[in-house]
Every structure is written in C-alpha cells, then in structure tokens.
Amino acid sequence: MSSSPEKLLIVGSNPRNQELLVEFVAKLGYTTLRADTLEMLDTLLDDAPQAAFALVDITGFGNAIWSRCARLHEMDIPLLLIAPRQSLALKQLGFAHGAQTILQKPVGMKDLADTIRGLLHPKV
Amino acid sequence: MNNNSNNRFSTGVDGLDEVLMGGLLPGHTYLLRGGPGTGKTTLGLQFLAAGVSQGEKALYITLEESEASLRKNASRLGLNVEGVEFLDLSPDPEYFSKVESYDIFSPAEVERSPATSAITEAVERIKPARVFIDPLTQFRYLSTDVFQFRKQVLSFLRFLSQQGATVLFSSESSPSLPDEDLQFMADGIIKLDLDEYGRTLTVQKHRGSDFVAGSHCVRLDIGGITVYPKLVPAAYGLKFSPLILSSGLPELDKMLCGGLEHGTVTFISGPSGVGKSTLGMQFIQQAASQGERSVLFSFDEEVGILMRRCESVGIKASEMVEKGMLKLEKIGPLRFTPDEFARWVRREVEEQQTRVVMLDSVSGYRLSMRGRDLVAQLHALTKYLQNMGVVVLLAVEIAHLTGDFRVTDYDISYLADNIVFLRYLEIDGQMKKAIGVLKKRLSDFEKTLREFETTQNGIQIGHPLVNLRGILTGTPSWVHNQPNP
C-alpha cells in the first residue's frame, strides 16, 4: 500500500457544494482533484489522473454527465454518484453508466464517510 | 468566584434574588422561558452585568441577535455590559446567499461543527463564571433529530458546568416546537409572561433550593427588569406587642377602650364627606406626637387638597411632613400592580420604620390597581402589615349617604379587626354626624353612638347619644323623653 494519501476526484457544478465536499474529504484524510465544469473534467481525464475514486454530483450537468460517467468507468475509476432527488430513472441511468453507489441529497456526513471508506477499502 | 454570603449568584434583577431565596446556585443551569417581548434578553444582560460588576467573567453566546444590536439595547436600558464578552453566532448578512447555495449536506451538519468549535474555544479561553445562551433552542436546528438535540444540549450544559460556569439559557417555544425537553434538563426554570394585565415572572423549578412560588409582577423599563415578589404574609412576623395607639381624643379613646392596638386593621367606614380621612389623620397626628412615622396612600384625593383640609380642622399635616413623621402619597389610576404597591409599602415599613399605614380608600385601591384578585391582594397586604405590628387604617366608603346600615360595599369585612363607623343623622330637622364602634377584636368597646363634628379646632366628639333608636336599621330616630346625661 502506498504511504501517500489516496486521491479523490470531486465533480460538481455548485461551487459551494464543491467547497464543502473538498473540506469534508480532506478531513477524512484524502487529497482531492476538483472539477467544477465538464470542460475541467475532460481536461483532468485527458491527463489520466491517478484517482482512487470519483464522487460526482450530477446536478446541473444535464445528460452530458452520463458520457463522462461512462468514461470514468472505462478508466476503472470507482464512481459514487450524488443525485438531487429520489428517482428510479436517475438510478437506472447512473448504474447503467458505471455508478457503484448512488446517494441522494442532502447526504448525511456519516453515510458519506462510511460509503467512501467502504468503496475504497472493502472488507473481504 | 465572587458570590454573596450564602454562596449564591445574584441575578442582577431587583426582586428576583428574593424570589429565588438569595439567587442562583453556582454551577447550575437555568432555563429562561417566555414568548417574544417578555424580557428574556434583558434579564440575561442584567445577569451578566451583575457578574461583571462583581469582578466575574461573563460570556454572552448569541445565536439570534447581533452583538452590536445587543450592546445598543443594553446601552438604551442603562446596563453596563462593557466587560461582558460576546460570542456572536448570529447569522451575518451573507448567510442568506450562502445557505441558498449549498444542498449537498443538511444545514444542521454544516453549521453545527463551526458553532461548537467557536463555543468550546471561547469558554476555554475566557473561563466565564456566568454564561447566557440566547436562545439555546437554535441548536434544535443544528441537530438532525430530537435524540441528537437532547444529547448535544445535555453534553453542552455539562461542559459549561465543568468549566465552572453558572448558565442561564433562553428558549423560544411554540405549540409546534415545545421546550419540555429543556425543562427536564435545567436545574431551574424561570418563566416570563406578558398579557393584558402586565408582565409576570414565575419560578417553576429550583433544584437544591426553595423559592417563592406564584406569579410575581414584573416591570420592564429604563434600568431593566424589576421583579415585585408576591407578598407572602406568613414569611413576616414580629412578636406580638400590646402597644396601643391613642386617638388623642379622650371620648374616642373611651369608645375604643384606649385606642387601636398595633398589628390590627381598622375600617373607618362611612359615606362620602363624612370625615373618614380626617379621623384617620387624627390617629396619624397622635402617632407623630409619640414619634411614630405614618404613611397615607391617597387613591382619591390630591395630596395638596388633603393637607389643606387637615390644616383647616387643626391637624398639622405640613408640620408632620416636614418633620418626616408623615408621608402623603397620591396613587394615580392604573399606575401600579398590587405586587408593586405592596413592595413600596414593605419598603416604607421595613426601611423607614413606618408604624401607621392608611389606605384612603379601599374603593380607590380597587379602581387604581392593575391586575386580578384585588381583594386577595389587599388581604395579603393587610395581613403582612398586621404581622409587622403596624396600625392599619382603611377608609371604607359606603355608596349611600343614608339608609341600610352597611360597613362596606365590598365583601371584605373579614379583614377588619376593628370597625369604626361614621354616619349622617337627622336630629330635630338638623343634619348631624355620628361616630360608633361596631367591632373591636382585642378589647371591649362602647356600644353607643356619639356626635361627631369637625371644627377648625379639630375633631369634637360629644356624649353618647342614648336617645337614638334603630341605629343598625340605617335610619335611627330620636326619642325625646329620655334626656341625654
């Protein structure tokens, strides 16, 4: 296991949400890469980032987010989606594009922490 | 820690320490309940200012009103909060836009942690002896559920107590968000109310101490809150002393078998203009001649007119006032509640050694006081004065000039130890006045009427009117064939 902290990719269109997520993830002991627009995300992905995990808030991106989710999945980056509401259609789309888990807003901090740890260090 | 002699913290509110049997207990937590505008913040400011004035450290944690606004209000009330530390956790103007801009986590989770850290840091840095949290119920919105709120508040209060603080915290309750949970957590509960009859304060709980139960009148004005503790006569009592106050009129003293005993209530009953106030002043003049101070509370008549009337019948009211043997006070309509008035009377008795108190008149008292249960309040006041060994004179006005014999138009005769009555009579086509004694609890008394006259040389009381018949019918008649002795 590498001694350097694991890096998480934080994707979302709302700057305040992004700030809160970055702070939260940092408190859990992870470093972050941050993409607030699809263009920023594309640029990051072109550089083949060493992200252990992607946390994507799909709110505000429209359908264009699904192709990026698929790309993350193709790059073997585990994907946790955050959806704005309870929706079966969104869930189906999310899982179809590689999401491992989908959480609904507002996300409980403990839930999110447990989910991240669970996805990064699954107990066998 | 700078406490008073019985190891209590003064609340800084005049009258409240008395209700709390000396003040707040150090290290305890007190819930301050009340609706909007009842004075919670003012009371909290006074609590902190009292600590600072005694050299203690005091911390105001505000979750609603800004520090600037609180300081301004304190200054308007004349409260010195110079040395009070403020931790301002109220929302700043930018908060509105910030809140709208995030939805990833619930506000409870985002806001709680910074608030908790700021409080912990401030308490550990300042080490306050007194803390006021206004309002603690704001933490409800920083908790994800009721269980979390209860646990967090308990933990928070314990943290403050462990730091050596005495804590006062306010709550804002409503039918949809009651504060019963906080009531169980606090060591004491102080409730403020405001209704059409005025402001009141009630202590609902005081763990480890007794308190004066009931609803106490509150006044909120420049200078802050003042509490007027409800009069509990049983709490006062002097050893019975068989002192008698003479009227200074040998005939009247004869009717009363010496005069009026200290610690008794005397009704001076009669219709308007018959001479009740003058008769009361006669006793007051005699008390002054023996070096005893009196206070007359006039609910009907202006002090100037009363003094002039006294002077015209040879009672030297001005001289008594100048020598400090008499205080005449005019009580305006709806100026006081019974509790406020009772506190004034108490100060006259306990601080000025007043030995005679006259209320002129009972109907004036009823009309002038704000509030409920006025007869019960008058009962408590007269009982207190009795217990303090004061001679109490109550002028009791009868609505009708003649006719049915009545002592009072109100159902208050049970208050009287002594009843002296004055009546108009018609004798041989002339209008006369008569005086009689109807009741005297501690001695015998003369059962006949005598003529009563006020002249420029003073009150004149004649021989017993033994020719009168039918006195108690209210329309006595004169029998001519039995000469007066």
Side-chain angles (χ1 to χ4, degrees):
Chain A
M1 189 186 284
S2 165
S3 60
S4 61
E6 286 164 298
K7 200 172 275 186
L8 300 191
L9 174 58
I10 309 286
V11 182
S13 62
N14 179 318
R16 180 66 183 143
N17 280 348
Q18 290 287 85
E19 277 170 25
L20 290 171
L21 278 172
V22 168
E23 277 172 29
F24 178 75
V25 167
K27 276 185 194 161
L28 296 178
Y30 305 112
T31 57
T32 50
L33 291 169
R34 175 174 164 174
D36 288 9
T37 63
L38 291 177
E39 292 70 31
M40 284 169 74
L41 178 59
D42 288 341
T43 309
L44 278 173
L45 294 183
D46 288 346
D47 292 342
Q50 295 301 305
F53 191 88
L55 206 162
V56 180
D57 176 1
I58 61 172
T59 317
F61 287 124
N63 285 330
I65 193 68
W66 300 122
S67 60
R68 273 61 171 197
C69 287
R71 197 175 166 195
L72 285 162
H73 182 57
E74 282 161 16
M75 295 171 78
D76 284 333
I77 297 175
L79 185 58
L80 191 162
L81 291 191
I82 296 173
R85 62 187 180 278
Q86 182 80 26
S87 160
L88 189 58
L90 277 180
K91 269 190 176 178
Q92 284 173 342
L93 276 168
F95 286 127
H97 291 88
Q100 286 181 292
T101 302
I102 302 176
L103 297 177
Q104 187 196 324
K105 289 184 195 174
V107 181
M109 287 184 173
K110 189 172 181 311
D111 269 0
L112 183 58
D114 290 346
T115 307
I116 292 172
R117 286 194 194 105
L119 287 170
L120 286 175
H121 309 289
K123 284 180 185 169
V124 182
Chain B
M1 201 180 288
N2 196 349
N3 303 327
N4 66 16
S5 55
N6 59 357
N7 198 33
R8 301 257 182 163
F9 270 63
S10 168
T11 57
V13 176
D14 191 13
L16 181 53
D17 291 349
E18 188 181 323
V19 173
L20 292 166
M21 300 294 181
L24 305 175
L25 290 166
H28 279 215
T29 56
Y30 293 87
L31 166 61
L32 187 55
R33 309 179 66 210
T38 50
K40 299 186 296 297
T41 301
T42 306
L43 198 152
L45 284 166
Q46 283 178 259
F47 164 66
L48 297 181
V52 170
S53 72
Q54 293 175 28
E56 294 165 3
K57 290 184 176 169
L59 173 64
Y60 192 129
I61 301 173
T62 172
L63 292 115
E64 203 164 73
E65 203 173 339
S66 71
E67 178 183 345
S69 167
L70 287 167
R71 284 192 183 278
K72 196 187 285 179
N73 290 340
S75 163
R76 281 191 193 124
L77 288 167
L79 298 173
N80 182 9
V81 291
E82 201 64 39
V84 174
E85 299 263 5
F86 283 82
L87 176 60
D88 188 350
L89 299 176
S90 66
D92 55 30
E94 287 77 41
Y95 184 80
F96 179 67
S97 54
K98 273 190 199 166
V99 162
E100 283 207 325
S101 70
Y102 77 82
D103 61 359
I104 192 85
F105 300 124
S106 74
E109 295 206 276
V110 175
E111 313 296 331
R112 186 178 62 230
S113 179
T116 309
S117 307
I119 291 170
T120 310
E121 186 279 323
V123 170
E124 286 175 348
R125 175 173 49 84
I126 297 164
K127 300 194 188 318
R130 295 175 185 233
V131 175
F132 178 47
I133 308 153
D134 187 26
L136 186 71
T137 36
Q138 280 287 325
F139 283 123
R140 212 182 280 286
Y141 306 107
L142 299 183
S143 301
T144 45
D145 55 49
V146 176
F147 174 74
Q148 286 294 327
F149 173 68
R150 188 178 161 80
K151 206 168 163 184
Q152 280 157 10
V153 168
L154 271 174
S155 169
F156 178 42
L157 295 177
R158 278 183 195 159
F159 164 72
L160 291 171
S161 289
Q162 274 175 5
Q163 300 291 316
T166 300
V167 183
L168 190 62
F169 60 95
S170 68
S171 82
E172 288 175 352
S173 63
S174 63
S176 60
L177 280 175
D179 62 358
E180 268 79 6
D181 45 359
L182 293 176
Q183 294 180 44
F184 287 108
M185 291 181 224
D187 293 314
I189 303 170
I190 298 167
K191 187 165 183 279
L192 292 165
D193 282 300
L194 172 62
D195 64 18
E196 59 185 305
Y197 293 104
R199 297 173 185 278
T200 53
L201 177 146
T202 314
V203 174
Q204 296 178 320
K205 176 181 176 183
H206 197 191
R207 199 175 275 155
S209 170
D210 199 2
F211 57 91
V212 183
S215 175
H216 309 279
C217 169
V218 166
R219 190 166 277 257
L220 174 53
D221 49 23
I222 295 299
I225 286 180
T226 304
V227 175
Y228 296 88
K230 187 170 282 302
L231 200 52
V232 183
Y236 305 88
L238 294 179
K239 225 174 170 180
F240 176 74
S241 154
L243 288 174
I244 291 180
L245 175 63
S246 158
S247 67
L249 302 169
E251 298 83 1
L252 183 53
D253 285 348
K254 200 171 171 189
M255 294 175 81
L256 291 165
C257 283
L260 302 175
E261 292 81 1
H262 280 260
T264 60
V265 177
T266 302
F267 279 16
I268 303 176
S269 159
S272 173
V274 77
K276 299 183 296 297
S277 308
T278 309
L279 183 61
M281 284 298 295
Q282 177 65 38
F283 281 100
I284 285 172
Q285 179 168 254
Q286 188 60 22
S289 72
Q290 293 169 10
E292 293 191 333
R293 184 177 188 271
S294 305
V295 178
L296 187 151
F297 295 99
S298 173
F299 295 91
D300 309 317
E301 202 165 26
E302 292 300 328
V303 166
I305 296 172
L306 182 62
M307 284 180 73
R308 193 168 168 183
R309 282 206 302 115
C310 287
E311 299 290 342
S312 70
V313 294
I315 295 173
K316 296 180 171 46
S318 322
E319 196 181 307
M320 287 190 274
V321 171
E322 277 166 26
K323 287 183 176 170
M325 301 311 293
L326 170 64
K327 192 170 181 185
L328 293 169
E329 290 287 353
K330 170 77 170 77
I331 309 294
L334 304 179
R335 200 172 136 208
F336 296 107
T337 63
D339 287 340
E340 288 173 306
F341 179 67
R343 190 146 196 244
W344 185 1
V345 175
R346 272 186 57 200
R347 284 192 167 153
E348 293 292 347
V349 171
E350 291 165 34
E351 294 169 20
Q352 304 296 326
Q353 286 73 49
T354 297
R355 304 291 290 143
V356 180
V357 170
M358 180 167 181
L359 303 189
D360 189 7
S361 62
V362 169
S363 51
Y365 173 89
R366 286 172 60 101
L367 290 171
S368 297
M369 291 292 143
R370 288 189 282 122
R372 288 163 279 211
D373 304 326
L374 293 177
V375 169
Q377 301 271 10
L378 184 63
H379 184 187
L381 178 61
T382 54
K383 205 75 202 160
Y384 157 78
L385 290 168
Q386 274 180 311
N387 291 352
M388 295 300 287
V390 172
V391 175
V392 186
L393 303 172
L394 298 184
V396 182
E397 190 161 311
I398 305 300
H400 301 289
L401 294 178
T402 58
D404 289 347
F405 186 91
R406 301 183 66 172
V407 174
T408 163
D409 291 338
Y410 307 112
D411 192 16
I412 54 170
S413 301
Y414 68 96
L415 297 181
D417 296 305
N418 315 312
I419 299 174
V420 177
F421 63 94
L422 297 167
R423 289 292 182 272
Y424 289 109
L425 298 175
E426 184 197 323
I427 300 175
D428 288 338
Q430 282 193 314
M431 194 175 75
K432 305 269 186 189
K433 291 184 218 171
I435 184 170
V437 179
L438 192 67
K439 174 182 178 184
K440 191 131 190 298
R441 203 189 291 276
L442 296 180
S443 75
D444 197 7
F445 58 93
E446 189 178 287
K447 274 81 178 179
T448 53
L449 267 70
R450 291 178 183 242
E451 191 170 347
F452 177 87
E453 199 176 355
T454 48
T455 71
Q456 59 184 8
N457 298 319
I459 295 173
Q460 307 289 323
I461 294 184
H463 296 293
L465 299 167
V466 292
N467 288 23
L468 275 182
R469 295 289 182 275
I471 295 165
L472 296 182
T473 64
T475 49
S477 57
W478 187 260
V479 182
H480 284 279
N481 58 358
Q482 291 184 8
N484 270 335

